[in-house]
Structure formats: C-alpha cells, structure tokens
Amino acid sequence: MIEVSGLTKRYGDKTAVNDLSFTVRPGIVTGFLGPNGAGKSTTMRVIAGLDAPTSGSVLVNSADYRRAAVPMAELGILLEAKAVHTSRSAYNHLLALAQTNGVPKSRVAEVIDLVGLREVARKRAGGFSLGMGQRLGIASALLGDPQTIVLDEPINGLDPEGILWVRNLLKSLAAEGRTVLISSHLMSEMALTAHHLIVVGRGELIADLDVEEFVALASTNVVLVRSPQASQLRDLLLGPDVTITSKEAGVLEVRGVSADAIGDLAFDHHLRLHGLAVQQASLEDAFMEMTRDSVEFHAHAANDRTEAPERLPQTAGDRR
Amino acid sequence: MTSTLADDRTEGPVTPRYPGMKVTQARVFNSEWTKFRSLRSTNITLLVSVLLTVGLGALISAVTASHWASASPADRATFNAVVTSLDGVNISQLAVGVLGVLLLSGEYATGMIRASLTAVPKRLPVLWAKLGVFAGVVGAVSVAAAFGSFFLGQSLLSSKHLNVSIGSPDALRMVLGAAVYLVLVGIIGMALGGLLRNTAAGISSLVALFFVIPPVLGLLPTSWSDRIGPYLPSNAGEAFWGHPTGTHLSALAGLLVLCLWAAAAVAAAAIRLKKVDA
C-alpha cells in the first residue's frame, strides 16, 4: 500500500506537486495518469525516497521507505529516467543491486529469465534498446520480490508483444496481493491495464476513481446541436449537470442532456434546429477533457472557445 | 477502501521472500566490490596509475643515473634516491584522483545512483562501502606499485652506485607514505565527485587543488605562501612521502593534515548525499 498525504514538492520556486493525497491499494493495478509535467515522476521519486517532500508525507506499506530495513522486499521501482551504469553488464548491474539486500544470486538469474534478457545479460547495458532497457528496469524492480511495485511509464519503448507481456505481468503481480502503481500519459493503455486511476494535473489531484467509472463518464454522450438560435437554446439547456461548449458559432456540444430532450425543448420554444447528432467520446478525449486546464505546455491551436470548458465531476471530493 | 480489495496480509512490515534479506554494511560493501570490478574503465584507470607510478619512476631514475656525471652540484645536493624512484607518484596521483571522482560522479552521470540509493535508501552505507572498496583496492595496488617503483628505481640507480636499500633511514616510511598518499588523494577525489555530482567539475576541482593552487600560491608574497603552503594537500603529502625540506611540515604533521583534508571532504560529501535530493 502507498499512502500519499498532503504531499507538496517544490524545486526552487517551481511547485511540482501541490498538496497531493491519494492511496494506492493492494490487490489491484492502479494507473497514475496525467499529462507531461503533471508531477507523476516527482511523486514517484518521493515514494522511492530519492527526493524529500517539501511538506506532507508518503508511506510505503505503512512505513517511511527511507528507513526500511529490507527496502527491496518493500518496494521495487522503475523510474522513467534510466538508472543503469551504461558500461556494466545487465547481469552485474542486477547482481550488485541484489547483493545490497541479501537477495540470492539465483533470483538474479530468475528475473533475467522472467523479463527475457537471458541472451544479452552479459552485454553492456549501454548498448540496450529502449525496450531492453525497460525490461532491465523491470527486472531490477522485481529483484527483491517486493510487496509494492512502482513503474514509471513501463510500456515506453516496448513492442506490442512486450506491452501485452507487461500488462499480464502487472495483473498477475496484483492478483498475488501486491500493490502496483504504474504511470502513463496514455489513457487507452491504462483502461486496458489498470483497475483504478489516480489522475493528476499540474501537481494536483484531478480524479481518483475506478476505470469503470471513468469509462462511464467518458462514454457520456455528447450531443452536437446546430442551430441559428444557439445562444437562446444554450440558456434553456443550462442546468446543474449540463456541460455546454461551443467550438464555432451556431454549434453547441452538449453533455448531460439527451438528443431527444434537446429536440423536444427546441420544439417547445419554437427554436429552429439545423442539426442534432450524438457523438461518442473516446477515452483519450475524456482524459484530455479532464486534464485540459492543467496541461503544462499547450500547443497553441487556433481553437478559440467561446465558453470556458467545464470539468468532469470528481468522484473523490472536490479539491478546487 | 472496499473490503473485497483490502488485503490484510499487507498491513505492517513485509515478510521478505528470502530468509535473512536485509541491508547490512557488509552486503553493501560486497555490492560495491561487484560494481568496482565490473567496470572496464575502473580497471584501466587503475592500471594506468600503476604504469605511471612505476614507469615514470623508472624513467626518471634511469635518466638521473645516466646524467649523473654532468649533474650540477645543486642537483647532486638535493638528490634523494628514494624520492627519485617514487617520482611517478606526482603524475599517477592524477589518475588515482580521477578514478575516485569517476566512481561517484559516474553514478550520477548514468543515473545509476538512483538505483543504488533506492536499494539502500539510508544512503550513507553506499558512501562508506564505496570508500572502503576504493581504499582497499587502491591501497593494495599502490603499495605494490610503490615497492615496485622503489626496487626498479634503485636497481637503475645502482649503475652509478646512487641506490639505497629499503632499510636505509626513511626509505620504508617514504615508500609506504607514497601509497598512503595515493589513497588519500583518491578519497578526496571521490568526495569531490560526490559533492559536485559531475565528472568535469569534480576533475577540475581536483586538478585545481593539487596542480593549480600550489604554483599560484608561490606567486603570493612569501610571508603568505610560507604560512599557507605547507597545509595544502599536495605539500602536506610531500612531507611524509617526498623530499624532506625545511618548508614542509614534519612527516607526522603532514599525514595528519592530509587526513584532515580527506575527512573534511568526505564529511561534506556525506552530508550532501544524505540531505540533498538525489
């Protein structure tokens, strides 16, 4: 289990993580999702004890990892940035790590086989492809047979077969009762791998919900309404659970009201409709929608919105 | 937390799968030994330092012997057979110091430090183990190289009967002192690597400390340089392995001063390792 409470991490005057709280439970795969610069890697570095929190705390299996007696049995971690001396062989890299915690040599061979690096284990790690580097990173995370596993972007650089392998590996680790946290910026991948999601943006929690809930939110239909009297229609449609955005004059994107209801409403008020279409939002769209306000680096698209987008409802307490 | 997902087994400390799993200083030492011997660059640098120590010592001994007939009275007066055979140390200290820098800065450059410190989150055992392995290996190699230089140098000097035996006054102290000096320079290098976390910066400061500051100090008024000079690490070292001159500290004081330099550098590196984000 990982418990992050009130975590704030500042580097100089830049706040990477701001008052972040969430719990990662054992027995399931939890996805840690957010756009680049959202604070995922920073949070993981704090979990691993590499960076000290500015304030707040992180507990791994109910204890401070920095004081762990058997660190590699508590936590196995793969950070996004490579953590291997390029001139050393994969075998010696893993052996040196295993020796610190008293992990037997036989386990080194075991994890090398598990990640499929047996053939290249005696070669310099510096010559590894991105995918092989990821496999080596996963091998080092699993060395101590840890209760909690944290992997930063584990599928980066893996081929489709490798992605499937990681997905199954993570699910089986979780099924053994371990805590598994993986980060990604790909919602579609998380939907296939994770059971629960922690979504962050600009260092703050955006959502803490099950994948099923997220998918349900995402598949809320968007109704595209085309009307010469769009602004009047908009005023009539607005309500507590209704979100309306507009990308061009005379066109409304309506969430929270069915197409039938919109048609009936327009008819009742004698408003003309030129189009009424139901659109299914993809998971990726829903994720973008959720994190739009918190994307660190916007590509400046000529996509002027006439109305500020509204957020998807949060299930885990409103933090704004 | 939903009850179906909660797993009671995970509450409290984890039971490791392998009996006896635990971080101990001896195990971290073992791990650092694996790291040390599995890097080709480490072994090459070590070999270079031996070749420089023995080779340059032999070269200078041979040249001194062959030019003895034409040597000036001043040169003859300052000649010391032990120092001549150990002259390679003046250059090999750079190789040893750089090796020290690299052993720590290399981990920062490659990112290995993140793996090392995640495996040993208490951090300091990693530094102690690195220092221990380094001091042990470089100490053993340097003792061998210093004795090799001494005996090879003396045999080359013997053609002009300039040689001394290992039993002559101060000879053993200077030969062992040269080995100790190399180890201490390497430790200062390692501390600089850990303090600056950067190879180029570490090597630059090492070179500045041992090769730039001493001659620059010579440009200052003698009242200054005489007072500060003996306490510089290179001069403090020479006091116990090099040519005994009036401007140096005593051998014992020199050793103490250099040990203080090394201890201060290591203490600073330890504080930085423990307190600052990796």
Side-chain angles (χ1 to χ4, degrees):
Chain A
M1 186 152 73
I2 302 170
E3 293 150 280
V4 175
S5 32
L7 175 67
T8 296
K9 179 64 189 176
R10 276 190 283 272
Y11 298 103
D13 54 3
K14 170 130 174 79
T15 303
V17 174
N18 187 23
D19 194 21
L20 185 62
S21 299
F22 62 86
T23 298
V24 186
R25 289 166 289 158
I28 54 168
V29 177
T30 301
F32 195 23
L33 207 61
N36 292 332
K40 303 188 297 289
S41 295
T42 300
T43 306
M44 289 180 157
R45 290 173 57 82
V46 176
I47 292 172
L50 290 173
D51 285 8
T54 306
S55 63
S57 71
V58 173
L59 295 179
V60 176
N61 309 328
S62 311
D64 184 344
Y65 181 67
R66 288 170 294 179
R67 283 194 272 277
V70 199
M72 286 169 79
E74 300 282 351
L75 175 70
I77 193 156
L78 162 74
L79 293 165
E80 192 180 8
K82 271 195 182 173
V84 180
H85 200 299
T86 40
S87 321
R88 201 173 278 126
S89 73
Y91 176 81
N92 281 323
H93 171 73
L94 293 171
L95 177 63
L97 291 178
Q99 283 171 331
T100 57
N101 279 244
V103 173
K105 253 185 193 172
S106 57
R107 176 64 178 170
V108 175
E110 203 175 298
V111 292
I112 286 172
D113 281 346
L114 179 70
V115 301
L117 285 180
R118 189 196 287 208
E119 245 113 89
V120 293
R122 300 282 174 174
K123 297 226 166 80
R124 283 179 67 246
F128 279 16
S129 68
L130 190 54
M132 284 151 77
Q134 289 292 60
R135 286 170 185 266
L136 178 56
I138 293 169
S140 50
L142 297 179
L143 261 181
D145 200 35
Q147 174 58 37
T148 297
I149 294 145
V150 175
L151 307 176
D152 200 357
E153 306 271 359
I155 61 162
N156 244 3
L158 291 178
D159 54 17
E161 184 245 320
I163 293 174
L164 189 65
W165 167 74
V166 169
R167 200 181 285 154
N168 290 333
L169 174 73
L170 295 175
K171 284 180 176 168
S172 68
L173 288 167
E176 290 166 18
R178 296 173 211 267
T179 305
V180 181
L181 179 68
I182 53 168
S183 78
S184 180
H185 52 263
L186 296 176
M187 180 55 222
S188 48
E189 175 53 36
M190 286 296 106
L192 291 169
T193 313
H195 177 99
H196 193 82
L197 293 176
I198 310 284
V199 185
V200 291
R202 286 203 182 168
E204 292 182 22
L205 189 72
I206 293 179
D208 182 342
L209 75 186
D210 280 353
V211 169
E212 282 170 27
E213 295 174 70
F214 183 88
V215 171
L217 280 175
S219 36
T220 307
N221 291 338
V222 178
V223 183
L224 211 62
V225 185
R226 189 179 289 276
S227 164
Q229 290 153 305
S231 60
Q232 286 160 268
L233 189 57
R234 178 183 164 278
D235 293 343
L236 288 170
L237 285 168
L238 276 177
D241 295 322
V242 182
T243 312
I244 302 174
T245 57
S246 178
K247 284 178 183 161
E248 56 181 287
V251 180
L252 302 175
E253 283 174 24
V254 184
R255 286 182 185 78
V257 190
S258 73
D260 294 0
I262 296 170
D264 291 350
L265 191 74
F267 179 79
D268 292 347
H269 292 82
H270 307 288
L271 298 174
R272 277 180 289 169
L273 287 184
H274 290 176
L276 192 59
V278 180
Q279 279 190 330
Q280 184 97 27
S282 72
L283 291 177
E284 238 29 273
D285 288 342
F287 172 55
M288 303 250 285
E289 178 77 11
M290 190 180 261
T291 57
R292 188 188 294 134
D293 287 354
S294 54
V295 174
E296 188 86 326
F297 309 103
H298 275 290
H300 289 283
N303 186 9
D304 290 344
R305 290 175 181 277
T306 52
E307 283 163 57
E310 286 170 41
R311 283 163 165 263
L312 285 172
Q314 292 189 355
T315 53
D318 199 71
R319 280 163 210 278
R320 294 213 99 194
Chain B
M1 192 183 288
T2 48
S3 57
T4 49
L5 294 167
D7 190 336
D8 291 339
R9 288 177 301 160
T10 64
E11 299 298 325
V14 166
T15 314
R17 170 167 155 194
Y18 304 102
M21 239 181 106
K22 184 174 180 291
V23 175
T24 65
Q25 185 64 60
R27 284 173 174 167
V28 181
F29 187 88
N30 206 10
S31 158
E32 287 300 329
W33 168 236
T34 300
K35 285 190 195 170
F36 188 95
R37 64 180 172 73
S38 60
L39 279 189
R40 200 192 299 163
S41 58
T42 309
N43 298 314
I44 291 172
T45 314
L46 206 53
L47 187 67
V48 166
S49 86
V50 172
L51 291 179
L52 284 174
T53 310
V54 180
L56 277 176
L59 182 70
I60 291 165
S61 300
V63 170
T64 305
S66 68
H67 286 67
W68 187 253
S70 58
S72 68
D75 282 349
R76 290 181 183 219
T78 56
F79 171 78
N80 179 305
V82 185
V83 172
T84 303
S85 65
L86 293 175
D87 246 348
V89 170
N90 282 313
I91 300 299
S92 66
Q93 61 173 320
L94 185 61
V96 173
V98 166
L99 179 60
V101 172
L102 281 175
L103 284 178
L104 253 179
S105 69
E107 290 222 2
Y108 284 96
T110 57
M112 179 67 201
I113 193 74
R114 289 190 283 269
S116 301
L117 298 184
T118 312
V120 185
K122 286 177 183 159
R123 298 189 180 188
L124 288 182
V126 176
L127 181 63
W128 308 144
K130 266 194 197 304
L131 285 167
V133 168
F134 180 81
V137 174
V138 173
V141 169
S142 298
V143 166
F147 274 106
S149 308
F150 177 81
F151 288 115
L152 185 58
Q154 299 314 312
S155 77
L156 291 165
L157 290 168
S158 68
S159 62
K160 294 289 189 307
H161 306 292
L162 297 167
N163 59 311
V164 296
S165 81
I166 191 73
S168 65
D170 297 332
L172 189 60
R173 189 255 300 158
M174 288 159 80
V175 171
L176 288 175
V180 169
Y181 176 70
L182 287 176
V183 171
L184 289 170
V185 172
I187 286 174
I188 291 173
M190 186 181 279
L192 288 172
L195 211 48
L196 300 164
R197 299 182 172 182
N198 178 295
T199 304
I203 293 175
S204 307
S205 13
L206 182 82
V207 168
L209 192 58
F210 283 88
F211 293 91
V212 178
I213 294 176
V216 167
L217 197 67
L219 302 176
L220 294 175
T222 45
S223 60
W224 286 46
S225 58
D226 284 356
R227 205 162 295 164
I228 305 168
Y231 297 96
L232 290 179
S234 51
N235 293 338
E238 266 191 19
F240 65 87
W241 75 267
H243 209 328
T245 66
T247 57
H248 283 128
L249 300 168
S250 74
L252 195 61
L255 178 63
L256 201 67
V257 167
L258 191 60
C259 284
L260 281 176
W261 274 94
V266 168
I271 291 168
R272 182 152 162 83
L273 180 69
K274 183 77 181 172
K275 298 284 177 202
V276 179
D277 290 348

